[in-house]
Amino acid sequence: MILEIATLDIRNEELKAFEAILPKAKSVISQSKGFVSIEFQNCIETPTKYLAMIKWETLEDHTVGFRESPLFLEWRAILSPFFNSAPNAEHFKVTEIK
């Protein structure tokens, strides 16, 4: 399981509209092979900052399967009009504690 964490910087005047389109964005990404779940969190200290926490079965499900698909273009078309700057995305894996 891979966790993608994307930091989204949303234009202040678009916060309500951005939150209103999140179900539509979820419906698009959830169609992708290897998609497990998505959760958006809003920063308390910086209300224009959101985290998109997306779980994928494999890294390639995101970096190849989703990003190289028409679904990615649809996803970006839904979300990018609200961005103040380009998102930053990183991938994490579970560290086993023995």
Side-chain angles (χ1 to χ4, degrees), residues 9-62:
D9 179 24
I10 305 303
R11 294 193 321 269
N12 189 53
E13 66 276 8
E14 297 287 353
L15 295 177
K16 288 186 194 276
F18 173 73
E19 288 188 0
I21 59 90
L22 293 179
K24 183 176 181 181
K26 179 181 179 180
S27 73
V28 171
I29 197 170
S30 66
Q31 297 174 55
S32 189
K33 177 189 173 295
F35 170 85
V36 176
S37 67
I38 187 168
E39 178 178 88
F40 288 93
Q41 292 196 13
N42 184 222
C43 181
I44 294 168
E45 292 81 10
T46 309
T48 57
K49 184 187 292 185
Y50 288 77
L51 289 182
M53 298 181 298
I54 308 165
K55 290 185 180 176
W56 298 95
E57 290 179 12
T58 69
L59 179 63
E60 293 74 21
D61 284 335
H62 176 234

Side-chain angles (χ1 to χ4, degrees), residues 64-92:
V64 178
F66 178 60
R67 284 199 178 162
E68 294 182 7
S69 76
L71 289 171
F72 180 70
L73 297 176
E74 188 176 350
W75 163 264
R76 288 300 294 240
I78 293 166
L79 295 176
S80 63
F82 301 95
F83 296 160
N84 194 42
S85 60
N88 180 46
E90 297 176 300
H91 300 91
F92 298 83

